Amino acid sequence: MTRTEDFEELRPLLFAIAYRILGSVSEAEDAVQETWLRWEASPTQPASTKAFLSAVVTRISIDVLRSARRRREEYVGPWFPEPLLTDPYADPERSAELADSVSMAALLLLERLSPLERAVFVLREVFGFGFADVASTVGRSDAACRQLAARARRHMDAGRPRFEADRREREELAERFFDAFREGDVDGLRELLAADVQMVSDSGGKAPRWGKGAFGAENVARVLAAIVAPFVRIGGVVEPHEVNGQPGAIFRDRDGKVLNTWTLDILDGGIQAIRAVINPDKLGHVGPVTDAWAVVREAQQARRPTYLDLVSPGKTSSPDS
């Protein structure tokens, strides 16, 4: 194989590692490209191309994450990972770990870890790298990496729900939810919500959002009731789609441009969380992005009282669809 062929064969793995460390499609793609440039310029042939390239993309991702964490501290409103529609890497032997580690809930838990803890957890717990390779990658001793992995695993386990719905149950409930949304069946939506459901959006200050979010079944039901009718009336389209390995949807305007993505956390027979990414900077890889403000204005005209009680007095922001 040529170097190019070796690299292209490993590209899905490299992206998968970088995305889980960074939570950003664009930054992960940049990290993979930088890895290629370093690989192309390297005069030596390593004993293991996989180990070498995995180490390079991990180190690049750690450096990027350290810088990104400072920016995220100044982020306007809640920060969510960029939505991932398809994970390019597949390993039947680690399918459960791969699917769990790419979910919005897991990526948000990973945000609580230090960059080193996050990298060690991703390499060891998600992709099954040996501690010797992990230690070489992050420049720490084997013993130190074991401690980092144990600490990261405790944090992740403490934040995970005790009971998880099986895949088929999640898909069936999500299908019912989005069918009810398209039909404007607010009562049907309400009965699928868990009592402590939360509905939160990530706009980054660049698009409308649901204030600080809606919490509890009745509050979330009211937001959904405000959104459904005008969104349907202006020709909005709900396209169910797996997002970050979980049931979700892409919301589009009548011209097919992307408005936002939703992901659903489904546990114990109910929807526990609805997370929307509407920041246009995070949606370009999904498709051409619409002007969310224009969509909201059109929706308000279609049903003028829709959003007025959901924003603070004197503000012009409105909840996103």
Side-chain angles (χ1 to χ4, degrees):
M1 274 192 180
T2 65
R3 280 199 169 194
T4 300
E5 290 170 336
D6 280 342
F7 186 84
E8 290 304 320
E9 184 174 283
L10 289 166
R11 181 187 288 272
L13 171 63
L14 303 179
F15 175 85
I17 291 172
Y19 178 76
R20 286 163 173 81
I21 294 175
L22 294 167
S24 166
V25 172
S26 56
E27 289 175 347
E29 289 174 343
D30 289 345
V32 172
Q33 180 62 23
E34 178 63 23
T35 300
W36 161 249
L37 294 176
R38 295 188 188 184
W39 169 238
E40 189 180 35
S42 174
T44 60
Q45 180 66 35
S48 169
T49 302
K50 176 183 176 182
F52 175 83
L53 293 176
S54 297
V56 172
V57 80
T58 298
R59 291 168 190 157
I60 292 170
S61 298
I62 290 172
D63 289 341
V64 173
L65 181 60
R66 285 173 174 151
S67 175
R69 285 170 76 93
R70 290 191 290 271
R71 295 194 304 273
R72 290 172 191 176
E73 289 173 358
E74 301 171 353
Y75 195 80
V76 178
W79 180 92
F80 293 158
E82 290 183 9
L84 183 67
L85 302 186
T86 304
D87 188 353
Y89 180 72
D91 180 352
E93 293 184 1
R94 305 194 68 81
S95 58
E97 293 91 340
L98 291 170
D100 177 67
S101 64
V102 83
S103 71
M104 281 278 183
L107 290 171
L108 289 172
L109 286 175
L110 283 170
E111 280 292 304
R112 302 177 186 178
L113 306 181
S114 71
L116 273 182
E117 287 173 337
R118 186 164 182 167
V120 169
F121 182 87
V122 167
L123 291 176
R124 176 62 185 171
E125 301 297 325
V126 178
F127 294 98
F129 280 69
F131 276 113
D133 287 332
V134 175
S136 174
T137 295
V138 302
R140 296 291 189 275
S141 68
D142 187 294
C145 286
R146 290 179 185 275
Q147 290 180 343
L148 286 166
R151 188 158 60 240
R153 191 163 51 246
R154 285 196 300 271
H155 282 299
M156 295 297 289
D157 289 344
R160 285 194 177 102
R162 293 183 180 180
F163 305 102
E164 298 188 11
D166 64 42
R167 187 178 188 86
R168 183 172 180 178
E169 179 185 345
R170 293 199 309 263
E171 290 173 350
E172 290 177 349
L173 196 148
E175 182 178 3
R176 289 167 56 199
F177 178 84
F178 289 119
D179 283 347
F181 189 98
R182 282 189 293 257
E183 294 167 4
D185 180 4
V186 177
D187 290 335
L189 292 168
R190 183 184 290 107
E191 69 181 23
L192 298 175
L193 303 175
D196 57 350
V197 62
Q198 58 177 299
M199 187 175 186
V200 187
S201 63
D202 170 352
S203 72
K206 298 183 178 183
R209 68 187 180 99
W210 297 304
K212 294 184 178 179
F215 303 89
E218 286 307 312
N219 290 330
V220 170
R222 280 197 290 269
V223 173
L224 292 171
I227 292 172
V228 170
F231 183 74
V232 172
R233 191 172 295 125
I234 65 174
V237 176
V238 182
E239 179 185 310
H241 199 293
E242 185 173 271
V243 181
N244 287 82
Q246 302 294 312
I250 303 169
F251 283 67
R252 301 181 185 273
D253 67 10
R254 65 162 61 88
D255 298 320
K257 292 184 178 180
V258 178
L259 175 61
N260 61 25
T261 63
W262 285 16
T263 55
L264 307 181
D265 283 359
I266 298 173
L267 302 168
D268 198 24
I271 295 172
Q272 301 283 338
I274 302 170
R275 297 188 179 94
V277 175
I278 194 170
N279 183 341
D281 294 346
K282 295 185 175 185
L283 296 171
H285 63 284
V286 179
V289 181
T290 191
D291 180 348
W293 294 108
V295 172
V296 168
R297 285 193 295 270
E298 185 179 0
Q300 287 176 322
Q301 291 170 0
R303 182 182 172 188
R304 195 164 292 278
T306 298
Y307 301 104
L308 300 184
D309 294 330
L310 302 177
V311 296
S312 299
K315 292 187 178 181
T316 57
S317 61
S318 302
D320 32 325
S321 296

